[in-house]
Each structure stands twice: as structure tokens, then as C-alpha cells.
Amino acid sequence: MSSYVGVLVSDPWLQSQFTQVELRNLKSKFVSTKTRSGRVTVKDLPPFLANLKEFSGTFVENEIKTILDESYPNRHEEVEFETFLLAFLAVQSRKGGSKGATSFLKTSTTTFHRAISESEKASYISHINNYLREDPLWNSYIPINPATDALFDIVKDGVILCKLINAAVPGTIDERAINMKKELNPWERTENLSLCLNSAKAIGCTVVNIGTQDIAEGTPHLVLGLIFQIIKIQLLSDLNLKKTPQLVELAEDNQDVEELVGLAPEKILLKWMNFHLKKAGYEKQVTNFSSDIKDGEAYAYLLNALAPEHSTHVTLETKDLSERAKKVLEQAEKLDCKRYLSPEDIVEGSANLNLAFVAQLFQHRNGLSEESSNPPVSFAEMITEDDETSQEERCFRLWLNSLGAATYVDNVFEDVRNGWVLLEVLDKVSPGSVNWKHANKPPIEILFKKVENCNQVIKIGKELRLSLVNVAGNDIVQGNKKFILGEIALMKDHSVFHTVLMRYTMLQTLNSLKSHWQGKEITETDILNWANRKVKKMGRTSQAVSFKDKNLSNGIFFLELLSAVEPRVVDWGLVTKGRTEEEKMLNATYIISVARKLGCSIFLLPEDIIEVYQKMMLILAASIMNWSLQQHSDTESWVSDDCDVSSLTEEISILSIDDGSSDAQNDEDVK
């Protein structure tokens, strides 16, 4: 297998719009132009694009200028490669180009006019107003008027979206990293939006088809889609057995409990709803939050079961569906649960808003008995997870979902067992590697068909030279945690599929950088040397001996590295000395947010930095290095003259998983 990867860009959607041949050709011409003049501005784009063969004879320079003026009014603004690609797509879309997704580019004639739900917009605004009303920014942004399109202007600087993410999953973003001054320049707005999107991925949102430009332009359906994902994560956050152990009441035996552990929050919500409906005498099963609740009957039974003190038969006796829906909401209002829904939303079966409404009911009154808060020992053992196992599962799950595969992963241990998700992921990291004719699409009831999928996963993995020694497809089917995430007790954070798949993708990213140094492959030593020289060059004294150097735990080195690649991105007035655990935590959270703000898509936790997880340290440094070299096409020498450059797969031995003794020794070194 060739180690050549090609040109990578930070925005996955943008990457998907071009073939590698196109990217290499455009990158070469862009770098050549920038090298000659020192910089490329918006003013330079019309003559540049007009001379490309793709537009020769189709557009003259003035026509291209007119097209670009709509999206890039500042003609003196400097343009980097990714902005150039967006400009290329904008012009191509006027040509009637074949790039289907260019409808996401928002010039006046290319906007894909998707109808948005005014009801959804009003509900999301109500949520934002409610949860951010105590925020100091209230007077500047909130309350937002739902009767106008103010929301789509307010989100353009990224601040409110970052705040909303923190409301959904507290602590995701270090708010010290948000640019919040009254007047933000374009660069600062882009930083906020990068921080927002990368943080959204880190909490489980799917943002493959959303770029910073989409939000900067206030594209309604994309903005509302992102906001709903964030709100959904917040509303469903308690729908798991660790946070709400009373949910065990939904299970009749241990087998049901085991199934419950692996269910997605949305499915648990349906199961909870049907549990109460059955007790209330409702004879139907609710399988969705749309057609099954349009007549309002299920809601009437559910509210009678949850709030018997407000119970009434008038709702069910009402024949007119709109009137019944109104009475349902009158009853819900007595529980302070009306924010997300109107009678029309019930009758029309608005799936998003009905899901939000039911989740709100669960938050206010779940109707489960308190005795279930002390589950039996067998259940407790079933949900007890080693903290490191949980951390590994979270990182792997978020990384899987960030790839934009069709299937969303809610629980790694359960969702990968039929092999389909892993086939989708392999097809993303190595396009064309999967033989879909021999793949079995879910739902799969027959065991051997699951094994067939998983055997193909193993076969492809070996073809990609992933280290899968003594591994069979049946290990995946059985949900073997020891295989899926590795034996944590013996090989700390050296998980099998977590390691090999993320490792393979990381190798692709790292090898894409070798164009910056005479085509040589990059080693761990090269990355470390590059980072140390960057820090030293800015006059700092911090140096890292290795990526398991315990001195990295205070965060100073990575903050100095971030400052070295972009001097103004770190506010040193906010940095602590990292002497206490509290100070280390402050620095670690700041590092992650600053890296995401630059555009690095990372899934590590502050604890990974504080505890100096070697693999995570390497990935963090490589991500910063990748960003730096993409921004500066001056082919800086990042490999030292005396560096012994060898194969990347040989050098990055810490990521090898076919030698248990090596991994165990690395673990001892880290302790």
C-alpha cells in the first residue's frame, strides 16, 4: 500500500468536494502564486481563477469579480488555500458545475432554499433565551426575538453557539478562549466558529456538512440543524443508567438491563414513554415522535400517568385533534413543560419538537420509583465502568461520528457488533476498500451475516496493514470489550480498534505533511523536534524530552507551542504556572479550546494532558503541526539536519499494539 496520502484540508465537507488530482493541481497553482507575490488577497482571485482551464472561455475576469464580491466584499483580505477552494466552488456553481454539495455556498443564486420551520425556530430561540438568560451577555444578545430572523445574525460571531454548547455539556469550552469583545474582526469571528464546530463534534454533533462559512453567512437550515443537535444532547443527557439509575425499572430482568445499557438516549426515551403508557392502559406502542403521537392520545395517557393530580378525561373525550392538542399542552403547562411545542406541532407530527417535549417531561417528572435508585448488585456490576474504559469509549465514539458515516454511534460496544458501522468507517478512512456487494445491511437477525461483515472488517484491516494479530470477526460480534477497546488493566489506552483505526487516519494526516520536507516521511522524533524548535524560536525555555515527559502535565509547553504557531491566540494573562492540580486543569482546558479555535479537530480530555497520555500528546502535537504547515506554505524546515529520518510505522512504536510487552512497558513509563 502506498504511503502517499495527498492534500488534506481541515473541513471534511470541503475535502469531499474535490478529487485528489484536483486538490493537488489547485494547491500547486495556489502555492506558486503565493510564492511569487508573498500573499494572495481577494483582489488577486478574479484574474487567478479566470486563467484556470476550468473557467477558460466561460467567465471573464469581471464576471468572476462580481460573483466573489457577494461573499468576499473586502478585496484586501488575505486568502488562504481553503478560502480559495470555497471561492473556486462559488464560481463553479455559476457554471452549473457538477459538485452537488455546492448548494451550501451562499451566493445569491446558489443558495439552496430549504424551507425552515418557524415553529422550530421559535422553540430553539425559547430554549436559548431560557438557558442563557443568566449569562452576562444577556444585554448584548438575549432575549432573541423569535418573530424575526435575528437569530441568524446573532450566531454569526460564534459566541452564542459556544455558550449553548457549554449549557448542553458544561466545561466543553474554556470560555476564556472565546473572542468576546464588542467588535470582532473576520479572523476572530472565524476562530470562534472553528471553536464552536470542533467543540460541537467533541460533544457528539454531526457537522460534516457544516463549515464556518455556513454559520458566518447565517444559513438558516444549517444553523437550526446545528442548534437542534446541541439542544437534543442537552435534553437527553440524563437518559442513561449512570445518571438516572431509576431507569432500571424499565427492565424486567438482567437481559433487559444489558440491552438498556446499550440503547441510544432517544430509544430509552421511547421505552420510558411506552412503560408509562402501558401502565396507564394505552394499548398501542409509540415507535416514533411523529406519526404515532399526532392524534394526542398517547400524550393524554402519559400526562395522566405522570401527573395524576392534574388528571382529566376531558382531553381524551375531545374529538377535534387540534382541541385535544391544546388540552394536552394546558395539562403539560401545569408541569412547566410547554416550551417546545404548539398544538400544530403535535397535529403535524414535528419529530424534533415532539422529541424535545417528551425529553422535557422526563426531566421534570420521570415517574420512576425512588427504590430503583439502589439497583441490585448484578445491575451495579453491569454498568460499572473503569474510568479509562469509559474515556476510551467516549474518544473512539466521538471520533467515529466525526467522520460523517451514515450510521450514528451511540454506544461503541453495542453499535459495532454487526460490523456495518466499522465497514462504513473503513470506507471513510480508505475509500473503495469495502466490497459492499458482500456486506449485509442492518437490521441483521442472522448471526452468520454479522460475522460476514466483521470478517470483512478484519480482512480490510489487514490489507491496510493495521495490526490485528490473533483477531477474528467473531470478537466484534460478541461485543468483546477486551478486543474493541483493549485490555485497559494491562495496556493503558492501547485499545485495539480505537488504536488501529485512529492510528491509520493519523498516519494519513502526518504523511500528508511530508510535502513540506522533500517528500520524507514524518516520525515521532520529527514532530517532537519541530515542536521544540518552534517553542525555542519564540524565546521560550520549555522543551519536551518526549511525549511522555511528565513536565508536559502543567500545559505550559503546549501553550507555548500554540503561541508559536499563532502568536496572538494565547492570552498569557490567563495562563497559570501549572503547579497545583487546579492550575494544571485550568491550563489543560485552555489548551484544548485554543487548539480547537485554531481549527484542530481533537477529542482528548483535560485529563489526557494532566496525566500525559503519550498517544494523545502525540496526536495533539501532530494536529497543531498540521494546522501550522497548512497555514504557512513556505516549506519551513521542520526536520533537523541531524535527524535520522526513518519509516513512520517503525518510529511511532508507541502506537504498535501487536507487542503487549512493549505496551505494558510504555504504561509503566507513564506511571
Side-chain angles (χ1 to χ4, degrees):
M1 181 182 66
S2 173
S3 61
Y4 179 76
V5 175
V7 179
L8 295 179
V9 295
S10 61
D11 187 332
W13 170 79
L14 188 57
Q15 175 92 35
S16 71
Q17 303 308 298
F18 298 90
T19 66
Q20 272 299 311
V21 173
E22 291 171 329
L23 282 173
R24 290 198 297 271
N25 183 46
L26 292 173
K27 179 80 171 183
S28 173
K29 292 177 180 178
F30 180 81
V31 170
S32 176
T33 301
K34 187 170 183 177
T35 302
R36 285 197 306 270
S37 58
R39 62 198 296 261
V40 177
T41 66
V42 172
K43 182 181 179 180
D44 300 320
L45 291 179
F48 183 12
L49 292 169
N51 287 326
L52 295 178
K53 66 178 182 180
E54 289 86 352
F55 304 130
S56 178
T58 306
F59 294 108
V60 297
E61 185 178 325
N62 284 339
E63 290 174 325
I64 294 176
K65 177 182 177 300
T66 300
I67 295 171
L68 296 183
D69 281 348
E70 297 172 9
S71 297
Y72 308 98
N74 183 1
R75 302 195 67 210
H76 300 289
E77 182 180 353
E78 187 169 356
V79 173
E80 294 300 338
F81 181 56
E82 292 194 20
T83 306
F84 162 68
L85 292 178
L86 289 168
F88 179 95
L89 290 176
V91 176
Q92 185 186 59
S93 65
R94 297 295 184 90
K95 181 183 175 184
S98 59
K99 305 290 184 188
T102 55
S103 58
F104 288 107
L105 294 168
K106 308 304 176 299
T107 57
S108 60
T109 61
T110 60
T111 302
F112 188 74
H113 293 288
R114 296 193 182 185
I116 65 169
S117 166
E118 289 296 324
S119 185
E120 287 193 19
K121 183 184 75 172
S123 295
Y124 303 161
I125 288 174
S126 175
H127 179 96
I128 294 171
N129 287 340
N130 181 66
Y131 280 93
L132 299 184
R133 64 176 177 232
E134 302 298 330
D135 193 278
L137 287 177
W138 170 271
N139 291 331
S140 300
Y141 294 88
I142 300 171
I144 303 169
N145 186 351
T148 70
D149 286 334
L151 173 66
F152 306 120
D153 286 323
I154 289 173
V155 299
K156 289 181 179 180
D157 64 7
V159 176
I160 284 292
L161 290 175
C162 287
K163 294 276 188 178
L164 189 60
I165 288 171
N166 270 357
V169 184
T172 300
I173 295 174
D174 188 329
E175 294 193 1
R176 297 175 298 170
I178 305 174
N179 300 315
M180 286 192 285
K181 64 185 184 182
K182 191 171 183 180
E183 295 293 334
L184 299 179
N185 60 43
W187 180 269
E188 290 167 331
R189 287 195 295 272
T190 299
E191 283 183 338
N192 281 351
L193 295 174
S194 292
L195 175 58
C196 162
L197 290 179
N198 284 312
S199 299
K201 283 195 285 187
I203 66 171
C205 296
T206 301
V207 297
V208 172
N209 289 326
I210 309 173
T212 56
Q213 186 178 2
D214 297 309
I215 304 176
E217 294 173 352
T219 309
H221 70 280
L222 294 177
V223 169
L224 291 181
L226 176 60
I227 289 175
F228 173 69
Q229 288 191 74
I230 298 169
I231 291 174
K232 180 180 175 183
I233 287 170
Q234 180 176 354
L235 292 176
L236 300 181
S237 61
D238 291 336
L239 277 149
N240 61 75
L241 287 164
K242 292 189 75 173
K243 287 192 176 181
T244 311
Q246 299 97 316
L247 284 166
V248 71
E249 191 177 341
L250 307 185
E252 295 181 1
D253 52 38
N254 279 350
Q255 185 174 354
D256 285 346
V257 174
E258 188 174 0
E259 178 189 351
L260 201 60
V261 170
L263 281 181
E266 188 172 340
K267 292 179 181 178
I268 293 178
L269 189 61
L270 280 171
K271 194 174 184 71
W272 167 81
M273 187 176 183
N274 283 311
F275 171 79
H276 284 300
L277 289 175
K278 183 178 180 180
K279 287 172 62 176
Y282 188 66
E283 296 179 354
K284 301 176 185 176
Q285 275 275 320
V286 175
T287 62
N288 59 64
F289 294 105
S290 182
S291 59
D292 285 0
I293 48 80
K294 292 171 74 170
D295 62 9
E297 279 192 12
Y299 281 151
Y301 276 95
L302 180 63
L303 286 165
N304 285 345
L306 294 177
E309 71 273 24
H310 304 307
S311 176
T312 174
H313 292 286
V314 176
T315 305
L316 286 169
E317 292 168 357
T318 303
K319 301 303 180 184
D320 182 88
L321 296 187
S322 294
E323 282 301 313
R324 181 184 293 169
K326 286 180 183 178
K327 293 189 179 300
V328 162
L329 293 183
E330 287 171 3
Q331 201 170 344
E333 193 168 11
K334 295 175 182 177
L335 296 176
D336 194 27
C337 295
K338 188 184 176 182
R339 181 180 310 122
Y340 301 100
L341 215 54
S342 70
E344 291 76 17
D345 298 322
I346 296 177
V347 175
E348 293 172 5
S350 173
N352 288 352
L353 297 183
N354 280 288
L355 182 149
F357 173 66
V358 177
Q360 190 185 26
L361 286 174
F362 176 86
Q363 285 187 342
H364 280 72
R365 186 174 296 191
N366 62 39
L368 300 172
S369 38
E370 291 300 320
E371 290 78 14
S372 298
S373 61
N374 295 308
V377 174
S378 58
F379 164 67
E381 290 174 349
M382 207 171 292
I383 66 168
T384 297
E385 291 181 343
D386 184 288
D387 286 342
E388 293 172 19
T389 304
S390 179
Q391 191 168 322
E392 285 283 309
E393 191 275 341
R394 171 196 172 278
C395 181
F396 190 26
R397 171 170 38 84
L398 294 174
W399 176 77
L400 288 175
N401 289 328
S402 75
L403 298 175
T407 305
Y408 190 84
V409 177
D410 285 295
N411 182 297
V412 169
F413 301 124
E414 294 301 319
D415 292 354
V416 304
R417 290 175 63 175
N418 61 22
W420 183 263
V421 169
L422 292 175
L423 288 174
E424 289 183 334
V425 170
L426 286 167
D427 196 50
K428 284 287 182 182
V429 300
S430 180
S433 61
V434 177
N435 185 343
W436 292 109
K437 291 182 179 179
H438 293 165
N440 304 294
K441 187 174 183 178
I444 308 172
E445 300 296 333
I446 303 174
L447 180 62
F448 86 84
K449 290 188 176 292
K450 296 180 183 179
V451 175
E452 277 184 345
N453 281 354
C454 294
N455 283 341
Q456 186 177 178
V457 168
I458 300 300
K459 178 177 178 291
I460 295 169
K462 290 179 178 178
E463 289 172 352
L464 297 177
R465 300 180 185 176
L466 305 183
S467 214
L468 298 173
V469 180
N470 297 323
V471 173
N474 199 45
D475 291 310
I476 308 176
V477 176
Q478 292 177 353
N480 188 338
K481 290 187 181 182
K482 180 177 177 179
F483 163 68
I484 296 172
L485 292 183
E487 181 141 19
I488 304 298
L490 297 178
M491 298 188 298
K492 185 177 181 180
D493 95 328
H494 284 73
S495 55
V496 180
F497 251 91
H498 175 280
T499 299
V500 294
L501 286 178
M502 290 190 73
R503 172 178 177 266
Y504 179 78
T505 306
M506 188 189 72
L507 294 184
Q508 287 183 311
T509 301
L510 294 181
N511 276 323
S512 73
L513 302 180
K514 67 185 180 183
S515 61
H516 290 269
W517 186 251
Q518 303 172 358
K520 295 178 181 177
E521 290 188 335
I522 297 174
T523 69
E524 178 189 356
T525 301
D526 296 334
I527 299 168
L528 185 67
N529 288 343
W530 172 85
N532 279 326
R533 276 198 307 280
K534 275 289 186 183
V535 170
K536 185 177 181 180
K537 190 175 180 180
M538 70 173 294
R540 301 281 181 168
T541 57
S542 295
Q543 293 285 280
V545 176
S546 70
F547 288 118
K548 58 184 178 184
D549 185 344
K550 283 298 184 182
N551 290 324
L552 295 177
S553 68
N554 64 20
I556 301 297
F557 178 79
F558 280 108
L559 286 167
E560 290 182 344
L561 177 59
L562 287 162
S563 183
V565 300
E566 179 48 66
R568 58 178 191 75
V569 80
V570 175
D571 182 346
W572 286 100
L574 302 174
V575 178
T576 75
K577 295 186 181 298
R579 291 172 179 167
T580 66
E581 289 302 307
E582 183 181 357
E583 288 184 342
K584 289 179 180 180
M585 179 61 72
L586 285 170
N587 285 351
T589 57
Y590 191 49
I591 287 167
I592 292 170
S593 288
V594 169
R596 288 174 179 155
K597 178 177 173 178
L598 280 182
C600 300
S601 181
I602 51 177
F603 301 99
L604 73 163
L605 296 170
E607 290 79 7
D608 294 325
I609 297 174
I610 295 171
E611 297 173 23
V612 193
Y613 279 10
Q614 188 174 5
K615 178 176 65 181
M616 294 300 187
M617 298 299 93
L618 172 60
I619 291 175
L620 175 59
S623 298
I624 297 170
M625 181 179 179
N626 183 40
W627 181 88
S628 177
L629 293 178
Q630 284 183 345
Q631 304 307 306
H632 307 288
S633 55
D634 55 0
T635 61
E636 59 174 303
S637 176
W638 47 265
V639 181
S640 59
D641 295 335
D642 58 350
C643 179
D644 181 18
V645 179
S646 60
S647 169
L648 184 59
T649 33
E650 294 174 354
E651 285 289 328
I652 308 185
S653 59
I654 64 163
L655 294 181
S656 175
I657 60 170
D658 53 356
D659 184 349
S661 61
S662 172
D663 290 334
Q665 183 60 50
N666 280 337
D667 183 41
E668 288 300 316
D669 291 340
V670 172
K671 290 181 180 178

